[in-house]
Structures are given as structure tokens and as C-alpha cells.
Amino acid sequence: MTAQEELSTRHKVDVDALRRGATEVLLRNWTGRSTVPSRALYPHQWSWDSAFIALGVRHISPLRAQYELESLLGAQWADGRIPHIAFNPDVPHGAYFPGPDFWQSSLRSSAAPATPETSGIIQPPVHALATWHTHLADPVESTRRHFLPRIYPRLVAWHHYLEKRRDLGGRGLAAIVHPWESGMDNSPSWDAPLQWIDPWPRNGFRRRDLTHAAAADRPTDTDYGRYLRLAADYRDQNYDDGRNQNGFAVEDPCFNALLIASDHALGQIADILRRDSTPHKTRAAARTTALVDSLYHSEAGMFGCRDLLHDSPLSLGSVAGLIPLIVPDLPGTIVAQLLATIVGERFRLGEVQLTPSFDLTSSSYETGRYWRGPSWFNVAWLLYQGLVQHSAPELAAVLRQDLLATALATNFAEYLDPYTGEGHGARNFSWTAATALDLLAQETQ
Ligand code: 9WN
């Protein structure tokens, strides 16, 4: 019996149905240039979504995975930032809020491209990692198209932006200036810093997300008003990081762990291109030290965020604090503690579905609301890589089996209830399909 047959017997995953379903989702969400996260809820191109999408799409069409990343990098700013949304000009402006009329990228900053219109904030830097794996999916075609030589300088510029413009704490880590930049928008980690932000008045905006998803699954109006206030303030400073007048500045362990993983990927790309990979390796090592020194909490057995404006650690409990497992050179004692935390009462890997986005024992935990508890598929994919890398194959296998089974059972939901496995948010969600396809292709040893 092959491993896949064994998997489908033990966990009743119909592997063929999963592969077919995931492929259909990714075909349906393809616009001709890139893939939307969800046709209804998110009808444009999102930054870290596209990286996860490329990781899955490479198993259907390595070429399309290359296009996905090239399309995103076509929206890169002259200062190196990769915007969190590249707006599709063919989609009506009102289809997503806040849309191009809100962000006004090309009007506000000469660094923004004239086209497409984009947002001005960023998302976690998974892109070099996705580029490297996309190349490996078909090195011959990649070489023929000069994929790496064209993409590499752009990725270098992106990491340069994070190093030069976003080290707001001066400690060798990149800071985020908006909760949406973490990708884990509504995490309870942001409750403390957000309390200082004046929400935009409720009658000043019309939420589109509530047309497509249940209000109980989405951020509250007050939190939404605060997101808009922070985004508008940054916009009104013309997205100039030098002004340093942000109402929110946080060092996030997930964001920085992905930056380190991508530094390593840039090193591998540089080697293939016969460029000097030493600077990438040196940066990865320095950032790993900074991450451990600045954001690790040994008493809690996990990493945490740090609020730079109030110079204080933020409440622990976000799954972001486990993502550093993806960092290759973590000290062994920390790896052991993270593994204990992931199976302990706060995250209960193997007992609940996937890994909850927030500590199950916390009073802030909410089982269905956006990033305040439900499990996400991209997070599970990242943790899976970390578990494999740090020699925890049994745990990795559990997570993989959970991911494959729940992706199909929820019709590729955006996220799910860790206790019941019930899907929440959008369905036919692109990164859910993509991470499932990728883990289908990755055999756990
Ligand atoms: C704002 C697209 C994005 C993801 C984020 C997720 C959610 C947007 C929203 O959807 O954020 O960027 O409107 O809530 O939190 O991680 O990239 O899938």
C-alpha cells in the first residue's frame, strides 16, 4: 500500500477528490494573471496569499506559479516594498473595501507604481521561499524563462526595504505598522496597542466583508474602525516610513521568522545564480539571534510580539509565537520548548483540528472569530515545515493528515473551528486548496 493509499484509508481522505477539488478551486480563482484568495470576499491579488498559492499551484503548473509571483512583483514599489494588495483594474472599485480609492497609492507616493493601484502596507515576507520552491518545481523551464535572474533583484530590494525602512526598534528585526501587516489581522495580540487608536466613526465607511461572511466570524466594527484609522494615518504621511509617526509599531515573531526563512531561500537562489550568498546567510544568522534575544519568552515556551511604541511585550498566546519553528538554526532548547507548547493545553496539536490561532485556555480565545482562535491552513502549512525540519515527523504527520482531511471536508474553508472542524469565513479559498495540494505532494517520512 502506498503512503497515500494508507493515508486515505486511515483518515478517510479521498485523495482523488481532494486533488480534483483543490485544482478546481485554483482554476476558478485564476484571473488570467494571478489568483484571487476568494472570488467574493477578496477579489484582488494579496501578497502572502500569492506566495502560498504559488507553492500549491506549482504542482499543477510550475509556469503558472511563476506568473503568480511575477504578477505580484509587478506591483512592487520603487522603495522595494511589496504591497499587501495589488488591485485588479477590471474589478469595480466598490467590490472590496478599503479599495484603491482609499489607499490612493500612486497619488500619495512617487515610489508606488502608476499601475496597478495598490495598498500601501505590506504582509509577511514568504516570497523568496515561494520563489525558491517554484523554481525547483521545474528548473528547466525556470532557467529557460530566466525566472530567478529576473525575480532575485526584486526580492533583494524587498528584503532591503524591510531592513532599512522597517527596523523601527533598531534591534535587527522588521516592524509592522498595521495589524493587517501581520496577516493575522484580528489577533488578541493587537488588543492592547489598538486601545489607543480612535476608531473611524461607524457612519464614515461601508464594510463589504459583511456581505460575504458572517459578522460573528469577522472583526467588530470598532476594530475595523481602528484598522481604517491606522491605514488612513499612514496614507496621510504618504506611506513615508522615515516620518515614524505611526500609531502602531510592533515586532512580530511570525513576520520575522518568515523573513529569516526567506533570507535562507535568497542564499540558495544566490548560489544557483553564482552570486555571493554570504550576505543573505549572515543576515539570516543575525536575525535569528535578534529574534531569540528580543522575542523569546522561555517561561511561556513560545515567542511573543513586542510593542515598540510602549516598549513592552504584548500578551502571549498567538500562534505567531510558534511559527519560528520554521527557522533552521533555532537553539535546540527552544525547539524542545516550542514542541512541548504545541502539544500542550494551549494548542493541543493532534487533539483539536490543526493548530488554533490563539491559546485555547485564554479568556481572549474565540472559536469562530477571525484570528482570535480558529485554525488557519497557511499557519498549519508553516508549522508542518517547522516540525519536519526539527525532526518531529509524527507531529508533522498528524498536522498533515488534519490539513488534508479538513480542507476537503470544509470545501476549502478560509478557516475552521478547532473543536468541531466546522468551516468559517469564505469557501473555495485559494491558500487552503494550495497548501493541501502541496502537502499531498510532500510525503512525511
Ligand atoms: C485584509 C486575503 C487576506 C489575508 C489575511 C487575512 C485577510 C484582509 C481582510 O484576508 O485580510 O488584508 O480584509 O480581512 O487576515 O491574512 O492575506 O486572504
Side-chain angles (χ1 to χ4, degrees), residues 37 41-42 46-49 84-85 96-97 123 180 183-186 209 218-219 224 370-371 376 378 414 429 431:
L41 193 55
Y42 308 117
W46 258 260
S47 166
W48 79 328
D49 294 65
H84 103 295
I85 307 176
Y96 176 79
F97 180 82
Q123 274 189 327
W180 287 347
M184 302 190 186
D185 308 7
N186 199 28
D209 57 325
R218 297 286 302 175
Y224 221 83
Y370 217 57
W371 294 111
W376 291 71
N378 64 327
E414 188 179 3
F429 198 70
W431 77 28

PDB file of all heavy atoms in Angstrom, residues 37 41-42 46-49 84-85 96-97 123 180 183-186 209 218-219 224 370-371 376 378 414 429 431, ligand 1:
ATOM      1  N   PRO A  37      -7.640  35.340  -3.610  1.00  0.00           N
ATOM      2  CA  PRO A  37      -7.828  34.446  -2.460  1.00  0.00           C
ATOM      3  C   PRO A  37      -9.229  33.844  -2.445  1.00  0.00           C
ATOM      4  O   PRO A  37      -9.412  32.667  -2.146  1.00  0.00           O
ATOM      5  CB  PRO A  37      -7.612  35.370  -1.253  1.00  0.00           C
ATOM      6  CG  PRO A  37      -6.753  36.485  -1.776  1.00  0.00           C
ATOM      7  CD  PRO A  37      -7.179  36.687  -3.206  1.00  0.00           C
ATOM      8  N   LEU A  41     -15.019  37.439  -1.484  1.00  0.00           N
ATOM      9  CA  LEU A  41     -14.546  38.234  -0.347  1.00  0.00           C
ATOM     10  C   LEU A  41     -13.290  39.042  -0.669  1.00  0.00           C
ATOM     11  O   LEU A  41     -13.145  40.185  -0.227  1.00  0.00           O
ATOM     12  CB  LEU A  41     -14.282  37.270   0.826  1.00  0.00           C
ATOM     13  CG  LEU A  41     -14.058  37.827   2.214  1.00  0.00           C
ATOM     14  CD1 LEU A  41     -15.207  38.727   2.654  1.00  0.00           C
ATOM     15  CD2 LEU A  41     -13.899  36.679   3.225  1.00  0.00           C
ATOM     16  N   TYR A  42     -12.383  38.450  -1.425  1.00  0.00           N
ATOM     17  CA  TYR A  42     -11.086  39.111  -1.706  1.00  0.00           C
ATOM     18  C   TYR A  42     -10.800  39.048  -3.207  1.00  0.00           C
ATOM     19  O   TYR A  42     -10.009  38.215  -3.678  1.00  0.00           O
ATOM     20  CB  TYR A  42      -9.961  38.408  -0.949  1.00  0.00           C
ATOM     21  CG  TYR A  42     -10.205  38.241   0.535  1.00  0.00           C
ATOM     22  CD1 TYR A  42     -10.304  36.968   1.103  1.00  0.00           C
ATOM     23  CD2 TYR A  42     -10.319  39.347   1.378  1.00  0.00           C
ATOM     24  CE1 TYR A  42     -10.513  36.807   2.468  1.00  0.00           C
ATOM     25  CE2 TYR A  42     -10.534  39.190   2.741  1.00  0.00           C
ATOM     26  CZ  TYR A  42     -10.630  37.920   3.275  1.00  0.00           C
ATOM     27  OH  TYR A  42     -10.840  37.760   4.619  1.00  0.00           O
ATOM     28  N   TRP A  46      -3.516  39.292  -3.302  1.00  0.00           N
ATOM     29  CA  TRP A  46      -2.945  39.571  -1.972  1.00  0.00           C
ATOM     30  C   TRP A  46      -1.533  39.015  -1.898  1.00  0.00           C
ATOM     31  O   TRP A  46      -1.233  37.934  -2.443  1.00  0.00           O
ATOM     32  CB  TRP A  46      -3.796  38.907  -0.887  1.00  0.00           C
ATOM     33  CG  TRP A  46      -4.700  39.855  -0.158  1.00  0.00           C
ATOM     34  CD1 TRP A  46      -4.480  40.407   1.079  1.00  0.00           C
ATOM     35  CD2 TRP A  46      -5.963  40.381  -0.587  1.00  0.00           C
ATOM     36  NE1 TRP A  46      -5.520  41.229   1.421  1.00  0.00           N
ATOM     37  CE2 TRP A  46      -6.443  41.239   0.428  1.00  0.00           C
ATOM     38  CE3 TRP A  46      -6.734  40.236  -1.732  1.00  0.00           C
ATOM     39  CZ2 TRP A  46      -7.649  41.916   0.338  1.00  0.00           C
ATOM     40  CZ3 TRP A  46      -7.940  40.913  -1.825  1.00  0.00           C
ATOM     41  CH2 TRP A  46      -8.385  41.739  -0.793  1.00  0.00           C
ATOM     42  N   SER A  47      -0.699  39.721  -1.152  1.00  0.00           N
ATOM     43  CA  SER A  47       0.734  39.423  -1.165  1.00  0.00           C
ATOM     44  C   SER A  47       1.083  38.041  -0.621  1.00  0.00           C
ATOM     45  O   SER A  47       1.609  37.194  -1.355  1.00  0.00           O
ATOM     46  CB  SER A  47       1.457  40.515  -0.378  1.00  0.00           C
ATOM     47  OG  SER A  47       2.765  40.148  -0.088  1.00  0.00           O
ATOM     48  N   TRP A  48       0.817  37.781   0.671  1.00  0.00           N
ATOM     49  CA  TRP A  48       1.302  36.483   1.172  1.00  0.00           C
ATOM     50  C   TRP A  48       0.421  35.349   0.683  1.00  0.00           C
ATOM     51  O   TRP A  48       0.871  34.224   0.544  1.00  0.00           O
ATOM     52  CB  TRP A  48       1.577  36.491   2.674  1.00  0.00           C
ATOM     53  CG  TRP A  48       0.491  36.378   3.694  1.00  0.00           C
ATOM     54  CD1 TRP A  48      -0.775  36.837   3.607  1.00  0.00           C
ATOM     55  CD2 TRP A  48       0.626  35.748   4.995  1.00  0.00           C
ATOM     56  NE1 TRP A  48      -1.455  36.563   4.770  1.00  0.00           N
ATOM     57  CE2 TRP A  48      -0.613  35.901   5.647  1.00  0.00           C
ATOM     58  CE3 TRP A  48       1.651  35.096   5.671  1.00  0.00           C
ATOM     59  CZ2 TRP A  48      -0.846  35.415   6.933  1.00  0.00           C
ATOM     60  CZ3 TRP A  48       1.416  34.619   6.955  1.00  0.00           C
ATOM     61  CH2 TRP A  48       0.190  34.782   7.568  1.00  0.00           C
ATOM     62  N   ASP A  49      -0.839  35.659   0.320  1.00  0.00           N
ATOM     63  CA  ASP A  49      -1.675  34.625  -0.301  1.00  0.00           C
ATOM     64  C   ASP A  49      -1.005  34.099  -1.563  1.00  0.00           C
ATOM     65  O   ASP A  49      -0.950  32.889  -1.811  1.00  0.00           O
ATOM     66  CB  ASP A  49      -3.055  35.178  -0.678  1.00  0.00           C
ATOM     67  CG  ASP A  49      -3.885  35.568   0.529  1.00  0.00           C
ATOM     68  OD1 ASP A  49      -3.476  36.512   1.228  1.00  0.00           O
ATOM     69  OD2 ASP A  49      -4.914  34.917   0.782  1.00  0.00           O
ATOM     70  N   HIS A  84       0.472  44.912   0.154  1.00  0.00           N
ATOM     71  CA  HIS A  84      -0.311  43.741   0.580  1.00  0.00           C
ATOM     72  C   HIS A  84      -1.445  43.424  -0.385  1.00  0.00           C
ATOM     73  O   HIS A  84      -1.868  42.284  -0.476  1.00  0.00           O
ATOM     74  CB  HIS A  84      -0.735  43.873   2.040  1.00  0.00           C
ATOM     75  CG  HIS A  84      -2.141  44.262   2.357  1.00  0.00           C
ATOM     76  ND1 HIS A  84      -2.691  45.489   2.039  1.00  0.00           N
ATOM     77  CD2 HIS A  84      -3.117  43.580   3.008  1.00  0.00           C
ATOM     78  CE1 HIS A  84      -3.933  45.534   2.488  1.00  0.00           C
ATOM     79  NE2 HIS A  84      -4.230  44.397   3.075  1.00  0.00           N
ATOM     80  N   ILE A  85      -1.901  44.431  -1.170  1.00  0.00           N
ATOM     81  CA  ILE A  85      -2.893  44.142  -2.222  1.00  0.00           C
ATOM     82  C   ILE A  85      -2.449  44.815  -3.517  1.00  0.00           C
ATOM     83  O   ILE A  85      -2.053  45.984  -3.513  1.00  0.00           O
ATOM     84  CB  ILE A  85      -4.296  44.695  -1.884  1.00  0.00           C
ATOM     85  CG1 ILE A  85      -4.785  44.231  -0.522  1.00  0.00           C
ATOM     86  CG2 ILE A  85      -5.318  44.284  -2.963  1.00  0.00           C
ATOM     87  CD1 ILE A  85      -6.127  44.844  -0.109  1.00  0.00           C
ATOM     88  N   TYR A  96     -14.321  45.708  -3.106  1.00  0.00           N
ATOM     89  CA  TYR A  96     -13.614  45.413  -1.848  1.00  0.00           C
ATOM     90  C   TYR A  96     -13.362  46.734  -1.141  1.00  0.00           C
ATOM     91  O   TYR A  96     -12.984  47.730  -1.777  1.00  0.00           O
ATOM     92  CB  TYR A  96     -12.277  44.708  -2.122  1.00  0.00           C
ATOM     93  CG  TYR A  96     -11.477  44.477  -0.853  1.00  0.00           C
ATOM     94  CD1 TYR A  96     -11.784  43.421   0.009  1.00  0.00           C
ATOM     95  CD2 TYR A  96     -10.449  45.345  -0.479  1.00  0.00           C
ATOM     96  CE1 TYR A  96     -11.075  43.232   1.189  1.00  0.00           C
ATOM     97  CE2 TYR A  96      -9.731  45.154   0.695  1.00  0.00           C
ATOM     98  CZ  TYR A  96     -10.052  44.097   1.525  1.00  0.00           C
ATOM     99  OH  TYR A  96      -9.354  43.909   2.698  1.00  0.00           O
ATOM    100  N   PHE A  97     -13.562  46.735   0.148  1.00  0.00           N
ATOM    101  CA  PHE A  97     -13.255  47.935   0.926  1.00  0.00           C
ATOM    102  C   PHE A  97     -12.265  47.570   2.024  1.00  0.00           C
ATOM    103  O   PHE A  97     -12.457  46.554   2.699  1.00  0.00           O
ATOM    104  CB  PHE A  97     -14.531  48.522   1.553  1.00  0.00           C
ATOM    105  CG  PHE A  97     -14.229  49.757   2.363  1.00  0.00           C
ATOM    106  CD1 PHE A  97     -14.092  50.989   1.747  1.00  0.00           C
ATOM    107  CD2 PHE A  97     -14.036  49.669   3.744  1.00  0.00           C
ATOM    108  CE1 PHE A  97     -13.777  52.125   2.496  1.00  0.00           C
ATOM    109  CE2 PHE A  97     -13.721  50.795   4.489  1.00  0.00           C
ATOM    110  CZ  PHE A  97     -13.586  52.025   3.860  1.00  0.00           C
ATOM    111  N   GLN A 123       2.748  42.660   3.841  1.00  0.00           N
ATOM    112  CA  GLN A 123       2.390  41.407   4.532  1.00  0.00           C
ATOM    113  C   GLN A 123       3.658  40.570   4.726  1.00  0.00           C
ATOM    114  O   GLN A 123       4.712  40.889   4.171  1.00  0.00           O
ATOM    115  CB  GLN A 123       1.344  40.632   3.731  1.00  0.00           C
ATOM    116  CG  GLN A 123      -0.088  41.065   4.029  1.00  0.00           C
ATOM    117  CD  GLN A 123      -1.117  40.148   3.392  1.00  0.00           C
ATOM    118  OE1 GLN A 123      -0.892  39.603   2.320  1.00  0.00           O
ATOM    119  NE2 GLN A 123      -2.271  40.007   4.024  1.00  0.00           N
ATOM    120  N   TRP A 180      -2.885  44.482   9.932  1.00  0.00           N
ATOM    121  CA  TRP A 180      -3.023  43.717   8.686  1.00  0.00           C
ATOM    122  C   TRP A 180      -1.665  43.291   8.136  1.00  0.00           C
ATOM    123  O   TRP A 180      -1.582  42.348   7.340  1.00  0.00           O
ATOM    124  CB  TRP A 180      -3.763  44.549   7.622  1.00  0.00           C
ATOM    125  CG  TRP A 180      -5.226  44.705   7.896  1.00  0.00           C
ATOM    126  CD1 TRP A 180      -5.963  44.000   8.803  1.00  0.00           C
ATOM    127  CD2 TRP A 180      -6.135  45.617   7.261  1.00  0.00           C
ATOM    128  NE1 TRP A 180      -7.273  44.420   8.780  1.00  0.00           N
ATOM    129  CE2 TRP A 180      -7.410  45.410   7.849  1.00  0.00           C
ATOM    130  CE3 TRP A 180      -6.009  46.588   6.279  1.00  0.00           C
ATOM    131  CZ2 TRP A 180      -8.541  46.141   7.466  1.00  0.00           C
ATOM    132  CZ3 TRP A 180      -7.127  47.309   5.895  1.00  0.00           C
ATOM    133  CH2 TRP A 180      -8.372  47.087   6.476  1.00  0.00           C
ATOM    134  N   GLY A 183      -0.724  39.736   8.787  1.00  0.00           N
ATOM    135  CA  GLY A 183      -1.517  38.683   8.148  1.00  0.00           C
ATOM    136  C   GLY A 183      -2.497  38.057   9.131  1.00  0.00           C
ATOM    137  O   GLY A 183      -3.407  37.353   8.721  1.00  0.00           O
ATOM    138  N   MET A 184      -2.299  38.295  10.435  1.00  0.00           N
ATOM    139  CA  MET A 184      -3.192  37.728  11.458  1.00  0.00           C
ATOM    140  C   MET A 184      -3.967  38.904  12.067  1.00  0.00           C
ATOM    141  O   MET A 184      -3.837  39.241  13.254  1.00  0.00           O
ATOM    142  CB  MET A 184      -2.381  36.985  12.521  1.00  0.00           C
ATOM    143  CG  MET A 184      -1.534  35.873  11.941  1.00  0.00           C
ATOM    144  SD  MET A 184      -0.808  34.834  13.209  1.00  0.00           S
ATOM    145  CE  MET A 184       0.243  33.773  12.207  1.00  0.00           C
ATOM    146  N   ASP A 185      -4.785  39.503  11.209  1.00  0.00           N
ATOM    147  CA  ASP A 185      -5.326  40.842  11.413  1.00  0.00           C
ATOM    148  C   ASP A 185      -5.960  41.112  12.768  1.00  0.00           C
ATOM    149  O   ASP A 185      -5.796  42.164  13.344  1.00  0.00           O
ATOM    150  CB  ASP A 185      -6.398  41.105  10.349  1.00  0.00           C
ATOM    151  CG  ASP A 185      -5.905  40.827   8.947  1.00  0.00           C
ATOM    152  OD1 ASP A 185      -4.792  40.313   8.790  1.00  0.00           O
ATOM    153  OD2 ASP A 185      -6.649  41.133   8.010  1.00  0.00           O
ATOM    154  N   ASN A 186      -6.742  40.159  13.232  1.00  0.00           N
ATOM    155  CA  ASN A 186      -7.615  40.450  14.378  1.00  0.00           C
ATOM    156  C   ASN A 186      -7.132  39.726  15.635  1.00  0.00           C
ATOM    157  O   ASN A 186      -7.915  39.482  16.551  1.00  0.00           O
ATOM    158  CB  ASN A 186      -9.029  39.975  14.001  1.00  0.00           C
ATOM    159  CG  ASN A 186     -10.113  40.588  14.837  1.00  0.00           C
ATOM    160  OD1 ASN A 186      -9.967  41.691  15.344  1.00  0.00           O
ATOM    161  ND2 ASN A 186     -11.208  39.865  15.005  1.00  0.00           N
ATOM    162  N   ASP A 209     -17.000  43.308   3.655  1.00  0.00           N
ATOM    163  CA  ASP A 209     -16.750  41.924   4.087  1.00  0.00           C
ATOM    164  C   ASP A 209     -18.008  41.283   4.663  1.00  0.00           C
ATOM    165  O   ASP A 209     -18.233  40.086   4.506  1.00  0.00           O
ATOM    166  CB  ASP A 209     -15.591  41.874   5.104  1.00  0.00           C
ATOM    167  CG  ASP A 209     -15.807  42.746   6.335  1.00  0.00           C
ATOM    168  OD1 ASP A 209     -16.415  43.829   6.193  1.00  0.00           O
ATOM    169  OD2 ASP A 209     -15.379  42.349   7.431  1.00  0.00           O
ATOM    170  N   ARG A 218     -16.130  37.757  11.778  1.00  0.00           N
ATOM    171  CA  ARG A 218     -15.291  38.859  11.300  1.00  0.00           C
ATOM    172  C   ARG A 218     -14.958  39.821  12.449  1.00  0.00           C
ATOM    173  O   ARG A 218     -15.564  39.763  13.511  1.00  0.00           O
ATOM    174  CB  ARG A 218     -16.029  39.623  10.184  1.00  0.00           C
ATOM    175  CG  ARG A 218     -16.317  38.806   8.939  1.00  0.00           C
ATOM    176  CD  ARG A 218     -15.096  38.544   8.089  1.00  0.00           C
ATOM    177  NE  ARG A 218     -14.443  39.776   7.659  1.00  0.00           N
ATOM    178  CZ  ARG A 218     -13.288  39.795   6.970  1.00  0.00           C
ATOM    179  NH1 ARG A 218     -12.677  38.673   6.652  1.00  0.00           N
ATOM    180  NH2 ARG A 218     -12.744  40.941   6.618  1.00  0.00           N
ATOM    181  N   PRO A 219     -14.010  40.735  12.248  1.00  0.00           N
ATOM    182  CA  PRO A 219     -13.694  41.715  13.290  1.00  0.00           C
ATOM    183  C   PRO A 219     -14.911  42.579  13.625  1.00  0.00           C
ATOM    184  O   PRO A 219     -15.795  42.766  12.783  1.00  0.00           O
ATOM    185  CB  PRO A 219     -12.597  42.575  12.640  1.00  0.00           C
ATOM    186  CG  PRO A 219     -12.029  41.754  11.534  1.00  0.00           C
ATOM    187  CD  PRO A 219     -13.146  40.868  11.066  1.00  0.00           C
ATOM    188  N   TYR A 224     -12.584  47.363  13.214  1.00  0.00           N
ATOM    189  CA  TYR A 224     -12.472  47.757  11.807  1.00  0.00           C
ATOM    190  C   TYR A 224     -12.197  49.257  11.689  1.00  0.00           C
ATOM    191  O   TYR A 224     -11.388  49.709  10.876  1.00  0.00           O
ATOM    192  CB  TYR A 224     -13.753  47.382  11.048  1.00  0.00           C
ATOM    193  CG  TYR A 224     -13.443  46.824   9.688  1.00  0.00           C
ATOM    194  CD1 TYR A 224     -13.111  45.481   9.526  1.00  0.00           C
ATOM    195  CD2 TYR A 224     -13.426  47.634   8.558  1.00  0.00           C
ATOM    196  CE1 TYR A 224     -12.792  44.962   8.287  1.00  0.00           C
ATOM    197  CE2 TYR A 224     -13.105  47.129   7.315  1.00  0.00           C
ATOM    198  CZ  TYR A 224     -12.790  45.791   7.186  1.00  0.00           C
ATOM    199  OH  TYR A 224     -12.458  45.280   5.964  1.00  0.00           O
ATOM    200  N   TYR A 370     -12.335  35.410  13.367  1.00  0.00           N
ATOM    201  CA  TYR A 370     -11.132  35.812  12.682  1.00  0.00           C
ATOM    202  C   TYR A 370      -9.869  35.979  13.522  1.00  0.00           C
ATOM    203  O   TYR A 370      -9.739  36.952  14.268  1.00  0.00           O
ATOM    204  CB  TYR A 370     -11.535  37.164  12.124  1.00  0.00           C
ATOM    205  CG  TYR A 370     -11.003  37.457  10.785  1.00  0.00           C
ATOM    206  CD1 TYR A 370     -11.262  36.607   9.752  1.00  0.00           C
ATOM    207  CD2 TYR A 370     -10.240  38.593  10.598  1.00  0.00           C
ATOM    208  CE1 TYR A 370     -10.756  36.906   8.513  1.00  0.00           C
ATOM    209  CE2 TYR A 370      -9.757  38.893   9.361  1.00  0.00           C
ATOM    210  CZ  TYR A 370     -10.005  38.043   8.330  1.00  0.00           C
ATOM    211  OH  TYR A 370      -9.501  38.334   7.114  1.00  0.00           O
ATOM    212  N   TRP A 371      -8.962  35.037  13.428  1.00  0.00           N
ATOM    213  CA  TRP A 371      -7.635  35.101  14.043  1.00  0.00           C
ATOM    214  C   TRP A 371      -7.648  35.175  15.567  1.00  0.00           C
ATOM    215  O   TRP A 371      -6.636  35.452  16.183  1.00  0.00           O
ATOM    216  CB  TRP A 371      -6.805  36.284  13.490  1.00  0.00           C
ATOM    217  CG  TRP A 371      -6.459  36.138  12.035  1.00  0.00           C
ATOM    218  CD1 TRP A 371      -6.937  36.882  11.003  1.00  0.00           C
ATOM    219  CD2 TRP A 371      -5.557  35.186  11.440  1.00  0.00           C
ATOM    220  NE1 TRP A 371      -6.397  36.450   9.802  1.00  0.00           N
ATOM    221  CE2 TRP A 371      -5.545  35.419  10.047  1.00  0.00           C
ATOM    222  CE3 TRP A 371      -4.753  34.155  11.955  1.00  0.00           C
ATOM    223  CZ2 TRP A 371      -4.774  34.661   9.162  1.00  0.00           C
ATOM    224  CZ3 TRP A 371      -3.988  33.410  11.062  1.00  0.00           C
ATOM    225  CH2 TRP A 371      -4.002  33.679   9.693  1.00  0.00           C
ATOM    226  N   TRP A 376      -6.075  28.076  10.904  1.00  0.00           N
ATOM    227  CA  TRP A 376      -5.870  28.513   9.510  1.00  0.00           C
ATOM    228  C   TRP A 376      -4.941  27.534   8.814  1.00  0.00           C
ATOM    229  O   TRP A 376      -3.993  27.017   9.411  1.00  0.00           O
ATOM    230  CB  TRP A 376      -5.269  29.926   9.472  1.00  0.00           C
ATOM    231  CG  TRP A 376      -6.213  30.975   9.931  1.00  0.00           C
ATOM    232  CD1 TRP A 376      -6.637  31.173  11.227  1.00  0.00           C
ATOM    233  CD2 TRP A 376      -6.892  31.955   9.139  1.00  0.00           C
ATOM    234  NE1 TRP A 376      -7.532  32.223  11.269  1.00  0.00           N
ATOM    235  CE2 TRP A 376      -7.702  32.721  10.006  1.00  0.00           C
ATOM    236  CE3 TRP A 376      -6.881  32.269   7.780  1.00  0.00           C
ATOM    237  CZ2 TRP A 376      -8.494  33.771   9.552  1.00  0.00           C
ATOM    238  CZ3 TRP A 376      -7.663  33.311   7.323  1.00  0.00           C
ATOM    239  CH2 TRP A 376      -8.465  34.051   8.201  1.00  0.00           C
ATOM    240  N   ASN A 378      -2.813  28.079   6.173  1.00  0.00           N
ATOM    241  CA  ASN A 378      -1.440  28.519   5.860  1.00  0.00           C
ATOM    242  C   ASN A 378      -0.558  28.402   7.101  1.00  0.00           C
ATOM    243  O   ASN A 378       0.624  28.054   7.012  1.00  0.00           O
ATOM    244  CB  ASN A 378      -1.434  29.954   5.311  1.00  0.00           C
ATOM    245  CG  ASN A 378      -1.911  30.975   6.319  1.00  0.00           C
ATOM    246  OD1 ASN A 378      -2.775  30.687   7.145  1.00  0.00           O
ATOM    247  ND2 ASN A 378      -1.357  32.167   6.279  1.00  0.00           N
ATOM    248  N   GLU A 414     -11.889  29.105   4.536  1.00  0.00           N
ATOM    249  CA  GLU A 414     -10.832  30.070   4.869  1.00  0.00           C
ATOM    250  C   GLU A 414     -10.195  29.693   6.218  1.00  0.00           C
ATOM    251  O   GLU A 414      -8.987  29.755   6.381  1.00  0.00           O
ATOM    252  CB  GLU A 414     -11.462  31.464   4.927  1.00  0.00           C
ATOM    253  CG  GLU A 414     -10.488  32.609   5.065  1.00  0.00           C
ATOM    254  CD  GLU A 414     -11.205  33.954   5.089  1.00  0.00           C
ATOM    255  OE1 GLU A 414     -12.464  33.992   5.052  1.00  0.00           O
ATOM    256  OE2 GLU A 414     -10.507  34.987   5.165  1.00  0.00           O
ATOM    257  N   PHE A 429     -11.398  28.633  -0.868  1.00  0.00           N
ATOM    258  CA  PHE A 429     -10.363  29.605  -0.550  1.00  0.00           C
ATOM    259  C   PHE A 429      -9.031  29.130  -1.126  1.00  0.00           C
ATOM    260  O   PHE A 429      -8.623  27.976  -0.935  1.00  0.00           O
ATOM    261  CB  PHE A 429     -10.277  29.758   0.973  1.00  0.00           C
ATOM    262  CG  PHE A 429      -9.585  31.008   1.397  1.00  0.00           C
ATOM    263  CD1 PHE A 429     -10.188  32.243   1.205  1.00  0.00           C
ATOM    264  CD2 PHE A 429      -8.333  30.970   1.988  1.00  0.00           C
ATOM    265  CE1 PHE A 429      -9.555  33.416   1.581  1.00  0.00           C
ATOM    266  CE2 PHE A 429      -7.687  32.136   2.368  1.00  0.00           C
ATOM    267  CZ  PHE A 429      -8.302  33.354   2.174  1.00  0.00           C
ATOM    268  N   TRP A 431      -5.626  29.636  -0.654  1.00  0.00           N
ATOM    269  CA  TRP A 431      -4.454  29.047   0.003  1.00  0.00           C
ATOM    270  C   TRP A 431      -4.806  27.755   0.720  1.00  0.00           C
ATOM    271  O   TRP A 431      -3.924  26.926   0.974  1.00  0.00           O
ATOM    272  CB  TRP A 431      -3.672  30.035   0.836  1.00  0.00           C
ATOM    273  CG  TRP A 431      -4.186  30.459   2.192  1.00  0.00           C
ATOM    274  CD1 TRP A 431      -4.971  29.750   3.063  1.00  0.00           C
ATOM    275  CD2 TRP A 431      -3.873  31.704   2.855  1.00  0.00           C
ATOM    276  NE1 TRP A 431      -5.175  30.472   4.211  1.00  0.00           N
ATOM    277  CE2 TRP A 431      -4.507  31.669   4.106  1.00  0.00           C
ATOM    278  CE3 TRP A 431      -3.120  32.826   2.508  1.00  0.00           C
ATOM    279  CZ2 TRP A 431      -4.428  32.740   5.018  1.00  0.00           C
ATOM    280  CZ3 TRP A 431      -3.041  33.872   3.414  1.00  0.00           C
ATOM    281  CH2 TRP A 431      -3.695  33.834   4.652  1.00  0.00           C
TER     282      TRP A 431
HETATM  283  C1  9WN B   1      -7.028  42.376   4.848  1.00  0.00           C
HETATM  284  C2  9WN B   1      -6.624  37.667   1.996  1.00  0.00           C
HETATM  285  C3  9WN B   1      -6.334  38.275   3.360  1.00  0.00           C
HETATM  286  C4  9WN B   1      -5.210  37.511   4.098  1.00  0.00           C
HETATM  287  C5  9WN B   1      -5.076  37.962   5.542  1.00  0.00           C
HETATM  288  C6  9WN B   1      -6.442  37.868   6.203  1.00  0.00           C
HETATM  289  C7  9WN B   1      -7.462  38.714   5.434  1.00  0.00           C
HETATM  290  C8  9WN B   1      -7.824  41.085   4.740  1.00  0.00           C
HETATM  291  C9  9WN B   1      -9.232  41.342   5.230  1.00  0.00           C
HETATM  292  O1  9WN B   1      -7.543  38.246   4.105  1.00  0.00           O
HETATM  293  O2  9WN B   1      -7.104  40.074   5.497  1.00  0.00           O
HETATM  294  O3  9WN B   1      -5.778  42.194   4.267  1.00  0.00           O
HETATM  295  O4  9WN B   1      -9.966  42.049   4.516  1.00  0.00           O
HETATM  296  O5  9WN B   1      -9.592  40.896   6.312  1.00  0.00           O
HETATM  297  O6  9WN B   1      -6.378  38.244   7.535  1.00  0.00           O
HETATM  298  O7  9WN B   1      -4.132  37.165   6.213  1.00  0.00           O
HETATM  299  O8  9WN B   1      -3.997  37.720   3.450  1.00  0.00           O
HETATM  300  O9  9WN B   1      -6.838  36.304   2.129  1.00  0.00           O
END
